[in-house]
Amino acid sequence: MNELNRLSASEQVERMRRREVSVQTVLEAHLDEIARREPTINAFVTVDADRARCRAEALDRAAARGDTLGPLFGLTVGIKDGAPVAGLRWTRGSEAYADVTAEVTALHVANLEDAGAIVLGKTNLPELGHGRYGGQTDNAVAGLTRNPLDPSKTVSSSSGGSAAALAAHFVALADGSDIAGSIRGPAAWCGLYGLRPTPGVVPNWPKADPFEGTDVVGPMARTARDLALMFDAMRGPRMAPLYTVPAPVSVSESPFQGLRVAWCLRPDGADTSEAVTAALSPLRAQLTRLGAVVRDAEPDLRGLHAAQATLRDVGVVVKHGEAIDANPSGFSPELHAALARGREVTSASLCQSTRVRDRCVHTVHAFFADHDVMVWPTSTRMPFGADAEAEAIHEDWRPIELTPCLHLPALAVPVGRTPDGMPCGVQLIGPLRADARLLALATALEAALVPA
């Protein structure tokens, strides 16, 4: 039975829809895996097996009646604990919310459930998605999440619980949120696919600042096909009341033929290690063989990384300042420090950061007139230790932190392995609303990279 949870999500749902195996049987395979490995990995803040079993029984009854079955019928999903699910604990990784039970369900989660998915639990994250800026998925409520591929290594931050749950085969699919690379970083070091979508394509509600497009939610999966399956379910039919954009359009079946690729393994001068460069470099020849036209190129993004940091700190004030002021002892020193930085930002500094961001947005728009997709690394180094403190972490986060301010879709694709045996990968970055193209490219690339 335990082998069922090791099938791809697409394979699982096909077997359940054909009634070759019951939803309850597949669920128990995932719960068995959680019982065996979760004490070591610590991917979850909360697992609600009883709720999941009730849902699985209901889905099996629906199938027996001949009801219409959704595209995610019976699939287990992990939901990052930054998003609410009605009736489940909603800690957001903070002691201030440790005993809170959500009264509403996030729209993207409701879409997943409407499609037939089973919410198995809430996955771990740093406090409020920020917490320890060194890059760990850790908090005072649930503790530290470890990498299932090597528990001595990190899962990165902050959708690390979702990445770990996927890599450990605890769930078939998982969501993440991405303010500064939090979907793509964990995906890279767990050998997964993860999409930061164009803001507004996937509804992100409830949200403290509904017009702010840096913070998005998106799918994570073990295969590109699974990622596309989850993405389609997440983005409808329930739509956010504000800041919703049209869904992306489809693309051709031969997405690499004539594709203009801008190749850069050190964007904005990022200090990408030789180990990562060596692991990723063979991909360039592979893209050429697939029909792409690959050139060394990158847009001029000078000053954007500093502007991004300023805007993120201001975001802490907007989203969390009132709550931290009302309950100072409930939040960590790291959150207080971020709040203080945000409040120290002057109007002149904020205006300057906004001008830098706007200039870079226009630069990138012009850049995509001559290029269809950018290929950047997802990480610049091999995964650091799960127990490493912030001062011992030397990852250069620019490749994943630069894109959110530009509102660009970016898809993490596992490509190779570094000398420590851990996975690394690239990002496929496209212009606004190029989500469908990126998914098509990832699917084609996945097939091309499978060993013969």
Side-chain angles (χ1 to χ4, degrees):
M1 185 170 67
N2 281 340
E3 293 304 312
L4 290 171
N5 65 301
R6 297 188 174 273
L7 298 175
S8 70
S10 300
E11 292 169 322
Q12 288 180 38
V13 75
E14 287 171 6
R15 294 192 61 179
M16 288 186 288
R17 288 172 64 88
R18 292 196 299 261
R19 301 189 66 190
E20 295 176 1
V21 62
S22 71
V23 176
Q24 295 172 76
T25 298
V26 176
L27 170 63
E28 293 302 326
H30 288 94
L31 290 172
D32 285 350
E33 194 75 42
I34 290 170
R36 186 172 70 88
R37 299 192 67 197
E38 172 65 358
T40 299
I41 305 305
N42 195 39
F44 290 99
V45 178
T46 301
V47 174
D48 193 332
D50 291 340
R51 182 181 189 273
R53 286 182 172 120
C54 288
R55 169 76 163 158
E57 291 173 8
L59 290 171
D60 279 331
R61 289 195 298 269
R65 291 193 301 265
D67 292 356
T68 300
L69 307 179
L72 302 187
F73 174 74
L75 291 177
T76 54
V77 295
I79 301 299
K80 185 175 178 179
D81 204 25
V85 178
L88 288 183
R89 190 179 179 208
W90 184 26
T91 75
R92 287 151 276 186
S94 175
E95 290 183 302
Y97 305 117
D99 299 318
V100 171
T101 297
E103 297 180 356
V104 299
T105 295
L107 283 185
H108 76 279
V109 180
N111 284 338
L112 293 173
E113 291 186 313
D114 286 348
I118 300 172
V119 175
L120 184 49
K122 305 297 290 298
T123 60
N124 204 20
L125 74 167
E127 186 179 20
L128 305 184
H130 295 269
R132 297 175 62 190
Y133 280 78
Q136 301 282 18
T137 294
D138 189 10
N139 61 66
V141 176
L144 174 70
T145 298
R146 297 179 178 274
N147 195 314
L149 306 181
D150 180 349
S152 73
K153 303 290 187 182
T154 186
V155 287
S156 188
S157 180
S158 69
S159 304
S162 287
L166 277 169
H169 299 274
F170 294 162
V171 292
L173 299 167
D175 78 344
S177 61
D178 193 310
I179 299 175
S182 298
I183 288 175
R184 294 159 289 150
W189 283 339
C190 289
L192 305 170
Y193 292 82
L195 173 64
R196 174 194 164 81
T198 298
V201 171
V202 174
N204 189 8
W205 182 91
K207 185 178 179 181
D209 184 359
F211 291 105
E212 194 277 327
T214 303
D215 182 8
V216 300
V217 291
M220 303 176 72
R222 290 189 293 268
T223 74
R225 183 184 177 195
D226 291 353
L227 193 74
L229 180 71
M230 186 178 185
F231 174 70
D232 283 341
M234 288 180 79
R235 61 187 178 92
R238 301 170 193 259
M239 303 301 290
L242 296 171
Y243 200 61
T244 296
V245 299
V249 298
S250 60
V251 295
S252 70
E253 295 182 359
S254 302
F256 285 102
Q257 192 62 45
L259 187 77
R260 300 170 300 172
V261 176
W263 178 272
C264 182
L265 297 186
R266 292 183 172 85
D268 194 41
D271 184 21
T272 306
S273 70
E274 292 301 324
V276 171
T277 299
L280 300 182
S281 292
L283 176 64
R284 181 168 186 159
Q286 183 72 43
L287 292 172
T288 300
R289 284 194 292 272
L290 291 170
V293 179
V294 184
R295 293 178 290 181
D296 292 319
E298 64 173 310
D300 181 0
L301 301 179
R302 283 176 293 180
L304 182 61
H305 195 224
Q308 182 270 344
T310 296
L311 295 171
R312 186 181 184 193
D313 285 340
V314 171
V316 174
V317 179
V318 174
K319 297 174 185 177
H320 309 300
E322 185 176 346
I324 296 172
D325 288 341
N327 182 17
S329 63
F331 298 90
S332 68
E334 289 85 358
L335 258 294
H336 280 282
L339 180 63
R341 289 196 302 271
R343 285 177 169 161
E344 289 170 359
V345 174
T346 65
S347 58
S349 178
L350 180 59
C351 288
Q352 174 61 20
S353 295
T354 302
R355 283 194 293 269
V356 170
R357 180 194 61 192
D358 292 348
R359 170 180 57 78
C360 290
V361 166
H362 288 292
T363 297
V364 167
H365 178 74
F367 186 83
F368 277 121
D370 298 317
H371 305 88
D372 299 311
V373 66
M374 299 190 294
V375 174
W376 290 3
T378 317
S379 61
T380 62
R381 286 186 174 38
M382 296 182 284
F384 47 84
D387 298 298
E389 296 293 335
E391 59 271 14
I393 295 170
H394 304 294
E395 173 70 18
D396 188 333
W397 303 104
R398 273 177 287 181
I400 56 175
E401 287 185 340
L402 290 170
T403 49
C405 271
L406 302 171
H407 293 191
L408 299 177
L411 198 160
V413 178
V415 171
R417 291 187 178 268
T418 47
D420 60 355
M422 297 295 285
C424 64
V426 297
Q427 298 174 83
L428 306 177
I429 303 168
L432 285 171
R433 294 184 291 281
D435 310 64
R437 163 166 275 181
L438 298 185
L439 286 162
L441 292 174
T443 302
L445 191 57
E446 179 181 40
L449 295 176
V450 172

